[in-house]
């Protein structure tokens, strides 16, 4: 392994960043915000049907609080608006990497 790769992989906080990105809903939220627009909680509910209640609970009680605690989003609970947080730029390179190289992954890859 090259020194640059090793340094990248051993960066302080890399486990936390990858942990944040380990859940599909959080990846979608961060990628949606990448476009630069403020969103609402209802904009970020990506499922429909009977799963809607569970998706909303997960969004409000799990995903948004974790992203906010990490500083990747600003979340106004009163208005339900979500925007990029003060540390969003720290995770953006990983988002760019995933988005720009998605076509290089095997079609049956999770």
């Amino acid at each position: 392994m090259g020194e640059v790769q090793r340094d990248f992989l051993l960066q302080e906080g890399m486990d936390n960043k990858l942990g944040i990105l380990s859940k599909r809903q959080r990846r979608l939220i961060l990628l949606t915000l990448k476009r630069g627009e403020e969103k609402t909680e209802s904009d970020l509910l990506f499922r429909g049907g009977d799963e809607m209640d569970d998706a909303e609970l997960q969004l409000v009680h799990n995903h948004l609080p974790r992203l906010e605690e990490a500083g990747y989003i600003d979340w106004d609970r009163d208005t339900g608006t979500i925007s990029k947080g003060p540390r969003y730029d720290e995770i953006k390179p990983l988002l760019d990497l995933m988005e720009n190289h998605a076509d290089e992954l095997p079609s049956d890859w999770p």
Side-chain angles (χ1 to χ4, degrees), residues 53-107:
D53 289 339
D54 185 50
E56 186 172 7
L57 285 172
Q58 286 295 315
L59 180 71
V60 173
H61 294 287
N62 181 4
H63 302 307
L64 293 178
R66 286 177 189 249
L67 291 169
E68 181 181 45
E69 183 180 322
Y72 300 139
I73 67 166
D74 283 327
W75 176 29
D76 184 329
R77 286 175 169 84
D78 293 330
T79 64
T81 57
I82 297 107
S83 59
K84 291 178 185 176
R87 297 182 58 208
Y88 184 88
D89 286 343
E90 293 177 19
I91 204 155
K92 186 179 178 298
L94 288 172
L95 297 170
D96 291 340
L97 186 66
M98 288 188 316
E99 193 170 49
N100 294 335
H101 296 279
D103 62 331
E104 296 175 30
L105 298 170
S107 60

